[in-house]
Amino acid sequence: MKQSGQFITFEGIDGAGKSTHIAYVIELIKQHGIEVVSTREPGGTPLGERLRDLALNEKMHLETEALLMFAARRENLAQVIEPALQRGDWVISDRFTDSSFAYQGGGRNLSLEKLNTLEKWVHPDVQPDLTLLFDVPLEVARERLDATRVQDKFEQEKADFFAAARAEYLRRAAEFPHRFQVIDSTRPIPEIREFLHQLISGLITRTRAIANE
Ligand SMILES: Nc1ncnc2c1ncn2[C@@H]1O[C@H](COP(=O)(O)OP(=O)(O)O)[C@@H](O)[C@H]1O
Ligand SMILES: Cc1cn([C@H]2C[C@H](O)[C@@H](COP(=O)(O)OP(=O)(O)O)O2)c(=O)[nH]c1=O
């Protein structure tokens, strides 16, 4: 029997360190002979990338911002995520709906009820199988951001925005413990990599065992 595809999302406030580990996890899964599709949000499709450009660079009403995130997500689900999972491929996404809860919900205070409505509308039947939440104190994230790159609209936000976004991430991790894995991203990169190696290898073994039952 063909094993079922796993949907893995990477989450965290900007500068937490999630991009540092994505390529490693993709390679690790590929080494086991599994097809992996990687995507990102907002983005992942040609239209989604155009929506990303708007969402990350233009000032707009909070609800417009939330709707653009979910519009890009709808496209990414239809064109990339759902077809890949149906083929039995694994999908790795750099951010997904937990980002909307953290940033538009926590950071900007959009009601969780509205976000729940959008989530139920756009992906009633799809949830990540595993969400890796890279968690660091705000000061650490800020230091890492300042040291590295030109900052977009979100990355220029103030400390209380990121404090609220981080709190919402942790609230969701507590609400959905079956899929969230919180990673202390202040630990050295090789240590986190080793932890990811164990976690993903275990997941591959388990999905293969289920497929062979
Ligand atoms: N565990 C870590 N310890 C020290 N520096 C880190 C760690 N993880 C990431 N970094 C550094 O922090 C910066 C931001 O990391 P990045 O992965 O781009 O963050 P994100 O994708 O979460 O915004 C990069 O320069 C990266 O090398
Ligand atoms: C998916 C998503 C992202 N975002 C924000 C979080 C990030 O600041 C930004 C893009 O994320 P990201 O790809 O992590 O940025 P970078 O390429 O600079 O590492 O979009 C939301 O506000 N809501 C969402 O639903």
Side-chain angles (χ1 to χ4, degrees):
M1 192 185 122
K2 189 157 172 46
Q3 68 189 43
S4 65
Q6 295 287 299
F7 181 24
I8 304 176
T9 57
F10 281 62
E11 297 284 357
I13 57 172
D14 293 275
K18 78 190 155 44
S19 309
T20 302
H21 298 283
I22 288 185
Y24 173 73
V25 169
I26 291 171
E27 268 319 299
L28 183 61
I29 300 167
K30 280 187 182 163
Q31 279 167 16
H32 286 80
I34 296 170
E35 294 290 332
V36 186
V37 171
S38 77
T39 186
R40 69 168 180 179
E41 295 209 342
T45 66
L47 177 59
E49 291 295 324
R50 290 170 70 185
L51 296 173
R52 175 189 178 94
D53 192 36
L54 289 172
L56 267 56
N57 297 302
E58 300 281 336
K59 283 204 166 143
M60 60 186 70
H61 189 280
L62 162 60
E63 293 187 355
T64 311
E65 185 178 283
L67 287 164
L68 277 186
M69 298 296 179
F70 275 93
R73 184 162 299 135
R74 186 69 196 88
E75 205 61 22
N76 201 19
L77 279 155
Q79 288 194 34
V80 179
I81 298 173
E82 289 175 339
L85 293 173
Q86 274 154 21
R87 287 193 301 272
D89 295 353
W90 286 36
V91 176
I92 304 289
S93 187
D94 185 344
R95 300 191 180 281
F96 193 61
T97 295
D98 296 308
S99 284
S100 303
F101 277 86
Y103 283 74
Q104 282 66 52
R108 298 219 200 285
N109 228 1
L110 180 63
S111 85
L112 297 187
E113 200 189 333
K114 285 183 177 165
L115 287 164
N116 279 322
T117 302
L118 286 172
E119 183 181 29
K120 281 206 192 85
W121 181 15
V122 169
H123 55 99
D125 304 319
V126 177
Q127 281 298 338
D129 297 293
L130 174 64
T131 297
L132 301 170
L133 173 55
F134 291 80
D135 184 54
V136 288
L138 308 188
E139 312 76 61
V140 176
R142 176 51 56 194
E143 242 169 58
R144 289 181 183 173
L145 278 183
D146 287 345
T148 49
R149 59 188 183 227
V150 180
Q151 293 168 13
D152 64 35
K153 188 177 95 181
F154 291 102
E155 289 166 345
Q156 289 166 19
E157 285 289 346
K158 304 246 171 330
D160 54 352
F161 174 91
F162 288 109
R166 183 186 184 205
E168 176 59 16
Y169 268 136
L170 292 171
R171 189 194 68 74
R172 281 179 72 77
E175 188 179 357
F176 305 111
H178 60 282
R179 72 172 167 91
F180 266 90
Q181 178 69 58
V182 181
I183 294 167
D184 174 0
S185 199
T186 61
R187 285 164 22 197
I189 292 172
E191 227 177 81
I192 297 175
R193 195 163 278 194
E194 177 52 30
F195 173 79
L196 289 170
H197 186 281
Q198 302 287 340
L199 184 76
I200 300 297
S201 304
L203 182 60
I204 292 170
T205 307
R206 280 199 305 284
T207 45
R208 289 204 158 137
I210 291 167
N212 290 330
E213 269 171 11

